[in-house]
């Protein structure tokens, strides 16, 4: 296991990375603003589960495949892009339906949000490659097996980002209380969420190793 000073530095770096605006925390904020804090929390749990899978992939060396094989990288990238565009369509359709039918904002369910979080992270090869580049920097072969250290650091990264995302969920939940008072605002949030997904899809499709 890495020394305490390394662990502290790694946790601090991970926390700051979680604070930086990115696809995951924007996704969490959008869901919490639409459906309340618990929606953001369930989305976060899905994203963190996806990160657990990515951590295992890096520890097992699977990430090398995506780092060295352009075909594998592009296949996963296109799958992730297609999924994000599908989510964009769902959000846009929800906004259109809400505009034509007065009532509560359509909610896909906590289970669906959890699954979306998982798929978002496991279909993004950039996450896998980022872990491959980031985690080993804090490993010390003299302190134990690389597999064990990468798993430990991966879980520590997940903990740090989960703290940030839970806070984002609570903030989004506060916004949800205000948004429920305005149907127009709810429709706009759905459309903004759809545009965010389209933007994330474009960013992913343009990504290079």
């Amino acid at each position: 296991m890495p020394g305490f000073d390394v662990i502290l530095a790694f946790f601090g770096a991970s926390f700051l990375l979680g604070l930086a605006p990115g696809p995951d925390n924007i996704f969490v904020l959008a869901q919490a603003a639409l459906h309340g804090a618990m929606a953001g929390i369930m989305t976060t749990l899905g994203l963190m589960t996806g990160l657990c899978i990515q951590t295992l992939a890096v520890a097992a060396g699977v990430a090398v495949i995506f780092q060295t094989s352009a075909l594998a990288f592009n296949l996963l990238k296109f799958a992730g892009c297609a999924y994000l565009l599908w989510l964009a369509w769902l959000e846009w359709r929800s906004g259109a339906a809400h505009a034509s039918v007065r009532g509560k904002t359509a909610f896909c369910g906590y289970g669906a949000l959890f699954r979306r979080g998982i798929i978002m992270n496991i279909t993004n090869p950039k996450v896998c490659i980022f872990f491959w580049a980031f985690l080993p920097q804090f490993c010390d072969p003299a302190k134990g097996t690389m597999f064990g250290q990468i798993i430990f650091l991966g879980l520590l990264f997940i903990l740090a980002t989960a703290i940030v995302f839970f806070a984002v969920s609570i903030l989004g939940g506060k916004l949800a209380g205000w948004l429920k008072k305005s149907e127009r605002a709810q429709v706009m949030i759905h459309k903004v969420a759809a545009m965010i997904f389209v933007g994330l899809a474009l960013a992913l499709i343009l990504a290079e190793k």
Side-chain angles (χ1 to χ4, degrees), residues 10 52 55 131 135 150-160:
F10 177 82
C52 285
T55 300
F131 265 30
L135 299 183
I150 286 175
I151 293 294
F152 173 77
L153 292 173
L155 293 176
L156 199 61
F157 180 91
I158 291 167
L159 174 62

Side-chain angles (χ1 to χ4, degrees), residues 147-203:
F147 181 88
Q149 290 185 69
I150 286 175
I151 293 294
F152 173 77
L153 292 173
L155 293 176
L156 199 61
F157 180 91
I158 291 167
L159 174 62
T161 51
I163 292 172
V164 175
F165 288 8
F166 285 151
V168 170
S169 298
I170 294 171
L171 173 62
K174 301 287 186 182
L175 293 175
W178 173 75
L179 290 172
K180 286 178 181 178
K181 300 175 183 178
S182 171
E183 289 191 24
R184 179 177 294 181
Q186 291 182 53
V187 172
M188 287 301 300
I189 285 293
H190 274 296
K191 291 185 176 181
V192 168
M195 288 187 287
I196 288 172
F197 282 129
V198 170
L200 296 178
L202 290 175

Side-chain angles (χ1 to χ4, degrees), residues 38-137:
M38 184 54 67
I41 290 171
M42 290 305 296
T43 302
T44 296
L45 292 176
L47 290 167
M48 297 305 107
T49 301
L51 288 181
C52 285
I53 296 171
Q54 294 281 24
T55 300
L56 284 171
V58 171
V62 176
V64 177
I65 297 173
F66 297 107
Q67 193 173 29
T68 59
S69 170
L71 177 62
F73 179 87
N74 287 326
L75 286 175
L76 192 60
K77 183 173 71 171
F78 288 131
C81 179
Y83 183 69
L84 288 169
L85 290 175
W86 180 68
L87 291 180
W89 163 245
L90 290 180
E91 289 293 344
W92 191 269
R93 189 178 62 179
S94 294
H98 190 78
S100 60
V101 181
R102 295 177 65 86
K104 294 183 178 179
T105 301
F107 180 45
C108 61
Y110 295 126
L113 290 178
F114 178 76
R115 290 190 295 273
R116 288 180 185 182
I118 295 175
I119 296 172
M120 270 192 69
N121 266 345
I122 65 174
T123 58
N124 188 347
K126 298 296 287 186
V127 175
C128 196
I129 291 175
F130 167 75
F131 265 30
W132 180 257
F134 183 61
L135 299 183
Q137 294 184 43

